[in-house]
Amino acid sequence: TSNKTIYLVEALLTSLPKYWPEYNDYQIIILGYDAPKFKFSYENISFEKLNDVDDVNNWAIDLKRYFETIDDDYFIFMNDDCPLSRDVNADLLNILIETASLNKDGNIGRICLTKDVSNRPHTIIADTGTFQIIEAPQSAEYRTSTQFSIWNRKYFMKHAKENMTPWQFELQSNPRNDGYRILGTNGTYCLDFYHLHRKYGTPTDWNLSCYERKDLASNPEEYKL
């Protein structure tokens, strides 16, 4: 997060214990600059300072430097401005986490938890009858999309460079034909979310979830924004 948008993290943190399965088993780390002024409601939340200088052009390199300090092969990346809009599909999430953990050769770069990959060209690599596991082609755009995903730590660091904003990180051409696999699901996907902030400011449809278009007004006590 940034100093400008860190207030939005509170909405995300409010949604996680309500919608994320086995929430207390996860370690939630806020990566930012100035520490948040709001209090954490759960003991599994912590804050890590990335840099003294909060510059959007440092976004990728600051994250890379942090990820160089941890040992996890995979992590789940979330955006600060995207509170969840419904229950996460626990069974599907566990399948995708297991898919990452069994990837011994490390060639899975990212597993998307939203509908994002299925909205673009893809191939089906497994069909359960209820949902399909799909793969983006090597030539696909947005191979490094920052939507909710399980990330291969080495893959994230491979493509995080100096002077790279999150939008540049997503749109760069380097991830094309890099040999890593980008997976997702079709038919069913893990989660949906509200997008409270855009590069240009607050979107007019911030109160509608991105894919299922759930209206926040249908459950107004959900978040006090």
Side-chain angles (χ1 to χ4, degrees):
T1 190
S2 66
N3 293 338
K4 181 180 178 180
T5 59
I6 194 170
Y7 73 99
L8 295 171
V9 174
E10 193 168 9
L12 172 61
L13 295 179
T14 299
S15 73
L16 289 176
K18 181 174 182 178
Y19 290 129
W20 200 277
E22 307 297 334
Y23 169 75
N24 290 323
D25 292 340
Y26 287 81
Q27 182 183 15
I28 311 299
I29 303 174
I30 304 169
L31 303 175
Y33 298 89
D34 291 346
K37 296 180 180 179
F38 53 84
K39 295 181 179 179
F40 302 154
S41 301
Y42 293 81
E43 293 182 355
N44 60 332
I45 303 172
S46 61
F47 174 80
E48 291 284 345
K49 186 178 181 68
L50 293 175
N51 199 334
D52 291 327
V53 180
D54 177 10
D55 184 343
V56 69
N57 293 300
N58 292 336
W59 181 89
I61 198 65
D62 282 347
L63 287 176
K64 179 179 181 178
R65 288 168 179 158
Y66 170 76
F67 289 129
E68 287 174 340
T69 69
I70 67 174
D71 296 326
D72 305 79
D73 292 328
Y74 291 88
F75 59 86
I76 296 174
F77 182 85
M78 309 178 186
N79 282 308
D80 55 0
D81 60 341
C82 297
L84 301 177
S85 60
R86 61 153 168 89
D87 288 332
V88 173
N89 186 318
D91 292 339
L92 183 54
L93 177 63
N94 289 334
I95 289 171
L96 299 181
I97 289 175
E98 184 178 18
T99 299
S101 66
L102 293 176
N103 182 227
K104 300 305 181 184
D105 57 7
N107 67 345
I108 293 177
R110 181 172 67 91
I111 304 177
C112 186
L113 302 180
T114 75
K115 195 178 181 182
D116 187 47
V117 173
S118 69
N119 283 342
R120 299 186 179 90
H122 59 266
T123 57
I124 299 169
I125 60 175
D127 193 335
T128 69
T130 304
F131 67 91
Q132 300 165 334
I133 295 181
I134 58 176
E135 181 172 356
Q138 288 288 316
S139 60
E141 295 182 334
Y142 290 99
R143 286 172 58 83
T144 48
S145 168
T146 60
Q147 287 206 11
F148 287 80
S149 295
I150 301 169
W151 277 88
N152 179 325
R153 181 173 65 94
K154 291 181 179 179
Y155 185 67
F156 188 100
M157 294 192 300
K158 173 182 174 67
H159 292 298
K161 309 292 184 182
E162 295 269 7
N163 301 315
M164 182 177 281
T165 69
W167 306 285
Q168 292 170 327
F169 179 80
E170 287 191 312
L171 291 170
Q172 64 179 308
S173 60
N174 289 340
R176 296 183 186 178
N177 302 300
D178 63 7
Y180 280 86
R181 305 178 70 189
I182 307 302
L183 307 183
T185 60
N186 189 34
T188 300
Y189 48 103
C190 281
L191 59 88
D192 196 8
F193 58 92
Y194 300 105
H195 203 163
L196 305 183
H197 187 78
R198 298 279 186 178
K199 186 178 182 181
Y200 56 80
T202 303
T204 57
D205 61 350
W206 66 269
N207 58 317
L208 300 177
S209 66
C210 284
Y211 297 109
E212 297 163 357
R213 310 307 281 172
K214 176 184 176 182
D215 193 336
L216 190 63
S218 66
N219 194 2
E221 74 277 5
E222 197 158 33
Y223 316 114
K224 297 178 180 178
L225 301 175

